[in-house]
Structures are given as C-alpha cells and as structure tokens.
Amino acid sequence: EVQLVESGGGLVQPGGSLRLSCTASTFTFSNYWMHWVRQAPGKGLVWVSRIEKNHGRYTSYADSVKGRFTISRDNAKNTVYLEMRSLRVEDTAVYYCATVNEPLGAWGQGTLVTVSS
Amino acid sequence: QTVVTQEPSLTVSPGGTVTLTCASSTGAVTIDHYPNWIQQKPGQAPRTLIYSTSIQQSWTPARFSGFLLGGKAALTLSGVQPEDEADYYCLLFYGDVHVFGSGTKVTVL
C-alpha cells in the first residue's frame, strides 16, 4: 500500500522556524513530483509548494510562502522536506504532502503546525 | 492573484445526480490546467478522485466523472450515495503553481 507519513509539526512562536518531513513507502519516490498542501482550521485546501522528481532542481511556491519556505528532497531517504522560516500566525494549519495529477494519487495524513505566542 | 471558484454548497437526494463546477478567474479552464478533483470527509485526509480532467483513480467509484463544460471543469456524481457527502475541491495548474478552488460542500439529503 502506498504510504506518505508527515512529521515535524508542533507549536512554534511567531517568527520561529520548523522543518516538516514526509516519508514515502512502497513506491519509487524519485519518479514523482512531490507537493505540500495546507489547511487552516475549518478552512479549505491551499497549495503550498512542489518539487521536481528525480534531482529536485526545480521548485515552485505559492506567493504567500515564497521567500520563507523551502522545499527539498532526499531520494535516498524517500523523504521530502518543507523548511519553514519567519512563521506567522496565519501559517497555522495541517500540512499534507501529496502527489498531484498522477495515477498514484497519494496523500499523507497531515501534521499540525500551530504558530502562536 | 488567481482565484478558482466553486459552488459553496449543493444538496442532492440519494440516488440523484449533481454537477459541481470549477471556474478560473483567468478565463476558460482547459485540459492544460490538468483539473484534479479531491474529496475530503470530516476528520479525514483528502483523497484524489479525478486527475487530468477526467481520469479516475483506481479507487474512484464509476459514479464520479470529470469533464470540461462551458469553460469550466466539472464533476458529476450520478446515483449519489450517502457516503458521498463530503467537501469537494478542484485543483488547477497554472504553468508554475497550482491553485485550489474554494470547495463545494455536498449534502446528501
């Protein structure tokens, strides 16, 4: 069974940093673009970032996180990361990793990030 | 800023048919936007039902179909079941970024 497991969420103060991880299993991770999506409490889904398959040289970001968040991947560890800096209260959300527009159609269960003083 | 608009809510009777739509503020939605449809039930992670406009995931029931209609992406649920009650989001690709729609809450009543 295809599986994505996120970790690294928690409580952080405004202006702080956090790194999320998403580890994949039972599929060839390096063959897939990977995405991060977030969902604030009681709100809709918001696309955050994506990283190219294979070497991950190409990345893109939503305007709301550009310059503050960095996506990366380690294919040897089957893991994609989201480094989040200068966190704001409005970054509070459940963060999901996922494959998009693929037959795989995989989503993780999410990890909660709470930004609060 | 690109905005993707969906109906906020729709109600359908069990066994009925309902069509959800997804419009882009930039103009007509085309196959080049690779529309995806994602279902989310309360307390659960999202689950992709349709990708690339009309391709069903292996777990997608046949009653869900995706297509383009009048410049929008559309998702039709035919023979609706009680378990189809959920939030449905479309996701469009804009060459460098993706944008989710605002979501449609489907109530089966």
PDB file of all heavy atoms in Angstrom, chain A residues 8-11 18 20 39 41 92-95 110-114:
ATOM      1  N   GLY A   8       7.019  16.318  12.182  1.00  0.00           N
ATOM      2  CA  GLY A   8       7.726  17.572  12.422  1.00  0.00           C
ATOM      3  C   GLY A   8       6.850  18.739  12.840  1.00  0.00           C
ATOM      4  O   GLY A   8       7.365  19.815  13.152  1.00  0.00           O
ATOM      5  N   GLY A   9       5.547  18.545  12.833  1.00  0.00           N
ATOM      6  CA  GLY A   9       4.665  19.629  13.245  1.00  0.00           C
ATOM      7  C   GLY A   9       4.763  19.891  14.746  1.00  0.00           C
ATOM      8  O   GLY A   9       5.354  19.123  15.491  1.00  0.00           O
ATOM      9  N   GLY A  10       4.160  20.996  15.160  1.00  0.00           N
ATOM     10  CA  GLY A  10       4.175  21.343  16.571  1.00  0.00           C
ATOM     11  C   GLY A  10       3.829  22.792  16.785  1.00  0.00           C
ATOM     12  O   GLY A  10       3.395  23.487  15.864  1.00  0.00           O
ATOM     13  N   LEU A  11       4.067  23.254  18.019  1.00  0.00           N
ATOM     14  CA  LEU A  11       3.793  24.631  18.399  1.00  0.00           C
ATOM     15  C   LEU A  11       5.061  25.461  18.270  1.00  0.00           C
ATOM     16  O   LEU A  11       6.125  25.068  18.772  1.00  0.00           O
ATOM     17  CB  LEU A  11       3.287  24.672  19.839  1.00  0.00           C
ATOM     18  CG  LEU A  11       3.048  26.052  20.446  1.00  0.00           C
ATOM     19  CD1 LEU A  11       1.945  26.793  19.699  1.00  0.00           C
ATOM     20  CD2 LEU A  11       2.702  25.910  21.930  1.00  0.00           C
ATOM     21  N   LEU A  18      10.501  25.863  11.568  1.00  0.00           N
ATOM     22  CA  LEU A  18      10.122  24.469  11.749  1.00  0.00           C
ATOM     23  C   LEU A  18      10.448  23.736  10.454  1.00  0.00           C
ATOM     24  O   LEU A  18      10.351  24.322   9.364  1.00  0.00           O
ATOM     25  CB  LEU A  18       8.621  24.388  12.039  1.00  0.00           C
ATOM     26  CG  LEU A  18       8.068  23.261  12.917  1.00  0.00           C
ATOM     27  CD1 LEU A  18       8.739  23.238  14.281  1.00  0.00           C
ATOM     28  CD2 LEU A  18       6.573  23.439  13.085  1.00  0.00           C
ATOM     29  N   LEU A  20       9.315  20.341   8.354  1.00  0.00           N
ATOM     30  CA  LEU A  20       8.423  19.204   8.198  1.00  0.00           C
ATOM     31  C   LEU A  20       9.083  18.155   7.302  1.00  0.00           C
ATOM     32  O   LEU A  20       9.843  18.499   6.389  1.00  0.00           O
ATOM     33  CB  LEU A  20       7.098  19.630   7.575  1.00  0.00           C
ATOM     34  CG  LEU A  20       6.334  20.761   8.276  1.00  0.00           C
ATOM     35  CD1 LEU A  20       5.006  20.997   7.554  1.00  0.00           C
ATOM     36  CD2 LEU A  20       6.128  20.475   9.733  1.00  0.00           C
ATOM     37  N   GLN A  39      -4.034  23.241   5.240  1.00  0.00           N
ATOM     38  CA  GLN A  39      -5.445  23.502   5.526  1.00  0.00           C
ATOM     39  C   GLN A  39      -5.554  24.108   6.916  1.00  0.00           C
ATOM     40  O   GLN A  39      -5.327  23.427   7.918  1.00  0.00           O
ATOM     41  CB  GLN A  39      -6.262  22.217   5.437  1.00  0.00           C
ATOM     42  CG  GLN A  39      -7.751  22.406   5.577  1.00  0.00           C
ATOM     43  CD  GLN A  39      -8.510  21.131   5.252  1.00  0.00           C
ATOM     44  OE1 GLN A  39      -8.078  20.026   5.570  1.00  0.00           O
ATOM     45  NE2 GLN A  39      -9.668  21.280   4.619  1.00  0.00           N
ATOM     46  N   PRO A  41      -7.471  25.581  10.187  1.00  0.00           N
ATOM     47  CA  PRO A  41      -8.634  25.014  10.885  1.00  0.00           C
ATOM     48  C   PRO A  41      -9.954  25.542  10.317  1.00  0.00           C
ATOM     49  O   PRO A  41     -10.166  26.760  10.238  1.00  0.00           O
ATOM     50  CB  PRO A  41      -8.424  25.478  12.330  1.00  0.00           C
ATOM     51  CG  PRO A  41      -6.952  25.667  12.462  1.00  0.00           C
ATOM     52  CD  PRO A  41      -6.490  26.160  11.130  1.00  0.00           C
ATOM     53  N   THR A  92      -0.665  28.768  10.586  1.00  0.00           N
ATOM     54  CA  THR A  92      -1.251  27.680  11.363  1.00  0.00           C
ATOM     55  C   THR A  92      -2.159  26.833  10.481  1.00  0.00           C
ATOM     56  O   THR A  92      -3.096  27.348   9.857  1.00  0.00           O
ATOM     57  CB  THR A  92      -2.052  28.246  12.549  1.00  0.00           C
ATOM     58  OG1 THR A  92      -1.151  28.893  13.458  1.00  0.00           O
ATOM     59  CG2 THR A  92      -2.793  27.138  13.279  1.00  0.00           C
ATOM     60  N   ALA A  93      -1.879  25.531  10.425  1.00  0.00           N
ATOM     61  CA  ALA A  93      -2.622  24.649   9.530  1.00  0.00           C
ATOM     62  C   ALA A  93      -2.155  23.211   9.711  1.00  0.00           C
ATOM     63  O   ALA A  93      -1.111  22.953  10.309  1.00  0.00           O
ATOM     64  CB  ALA A  93      -2.414  25.059   8.069  1.00  0.00           C
ATOM     65  N   VAL A  94      -2.946  22.302   9.171  1.00  0.00           N
ATOM     66  CA  VAL A  94      -2.472  20.936   8.944  1.00  0.00           C
ATOM     67  C   VAL A  94      -1.763  20.930   7.599  1.00  0.00           C
ATOM     68  O   VAL A  94      -2.310  21.435   6.612  1.00  0.00           O
ATOM     69  CB  VAL A  94      -3.639  19.936   8.952  1.00  0.00           C
ATOM     70  CG1 VAL A  94      -3.131  18.539   8.569  1.00  0.00           C
ATOM     71  CG2 VAL A  94      -4.308  19.906  10.319  1.00  0.00           C
ATOM     72  N   TYR A  95      -0.571  20.408   7.575  1.00  0.00           N
ATOM     73  CA  TYR A  95       0.236  20.342   6.356  1.00  0.00           C
ATOM     74  C   TYR A  95       0.249  18.904   5.839  1.00  0.00           C
ATOM     75  O   TYR A  95       0.609  17.980   6.568  1.00  0.00           O
ATOM     76  CB  TYR A  95       1.655  20.832   6.623  1.00  0.00           C
ATOM     77  CG  TYR A  95       1.732  22.346   6.766  1.00  0.00           C
ATOM     78  CD1 TYR A  95       1.253  22.972   7.916  1.00  0.00           C
ATOM     79  CD2 TYR A  95       2.250  23.134   5.753  1.00  0.00           C
ATOM     80  CE1 TYR A  95       1.291  24.357   8.041  1.00  0.00           C
ATOM     81  CE2 TYR A  95       2.303  24.517   5.863  1.00  0.00           C
ATOM     82  CZ  TYR A  95       1.814  25.114   7.016  1.00  0.00           C
ATOM     83  OH  TYR A  95       1.850  26.498   7.130  1.00  0.00           O
ATOM     84  N   GLY A 110      -1.224  14.124   7.321  1.00  0.00           N
ATOM     85  CA  GLY A 110      -1.049  15.506   7.742  1.00  0.00           C
ATOM     86  C   GLY A 110      -0.337  15.650   9.081  1.00  0.00           C
ATOM     87  O   GLY A 110      -0.345  14.737   9.913  1.00  0.00           O
ATOM     88  N   THR A 111       0.281  16.807   9.267  1.00  0.00           N
ATOM     89  CA  THR A 111       0.907  17.161  10.527  1.00  0.00           C
ATOM     90  C   THR A 111       0.517  18.591  10.862  1.00  0.00           C
ATOM     91  O   THR A 111       0.519  19.463   9.992  1.00  0.00           O
ATOM     92  CB  THR A 111       2.441  16.997  10.466  1.00  0.00           C
ATOM     93  OG1 THR A 111       3.009  17.189  11.763  1.00  0.00           O
ATOM     94  CG2 THR A 111       3.097  17.951   9.486  1.00  0.00           C
ATOM     95  N   LEU A 112       0.146  18.820  12.126  1.00  0.00           N
ATOM     96  CA  LEU A 112      -0.399  20.120  12.535  1.00  0.00           C
ATOM     97  C   LEU A 112       0.723  21.059  12.954  1.00  0.00           C
ATOM     98  O   LEU A 112       1.556  20.724  13.792  1.00  0.00           O
ATOM     99  CB  LEU A 112      -1.371  19.932  13.695  1.00  0.00           C
ATOM    100  CG  LEU A 112      -1.948  21.213  14.321  1.00  0.00           C
ATOM    101  CD1 LEU A 112      -2.768  21.990  13.297  1.00  0.00           C
ATOM    102  CD2 LEU A 112      -2.797  20.861  15.538  1.00  0.00           C
ATOM    103  N   VAL A 113       0.705  22.241  12.377  1.00  0.00           N
ATOM    104  CA  VAL A 113       1.624  23.318  12.748  1.00  0.00           C
ATOM    105  C   VAL A 113       0.799  24.435  13.370  1.00  0.00           C
ATOM    106  O   VAL A 113      -0.141  24.936  12.754  1.00  0.00           O
ATOM    107  CB  VAL A 113       2.392  23.846  11.526  1.00  0.00           C
ATOM    108  CG1 VAL A 113       3.195  25.086  11.885  1.00  0.00           C
ATOM    109  CG2 VAL A 113       3.280  22.752  10.951  1.00  0.00           C
ATOM    110  N   THR A 114       1.149  24.807  14.591  1.00  0.00           N
ATOM    111  CA  THR A 114       0.451  25.884  15.279  1.00  0.00           C
ATOM    112  C   THR A 114       1.440  26.997  15.571  1.00  0.00           C
ATOM    113  O   THR A 114       2.461  26.765  16.237  1.00  0.00           O
ATOM    114  CB  THR A 114      -0.169  25.390  16.592  1.00  0.00           C
ATOM    115  OG1 THR A 114      -1.060  24.305  16.325  1.00  0.00           O
ATOM    116  CG2 THR A 114      -0.940  26.520  17.272  1.00  0.00           C
TER     117      THR A 114
END
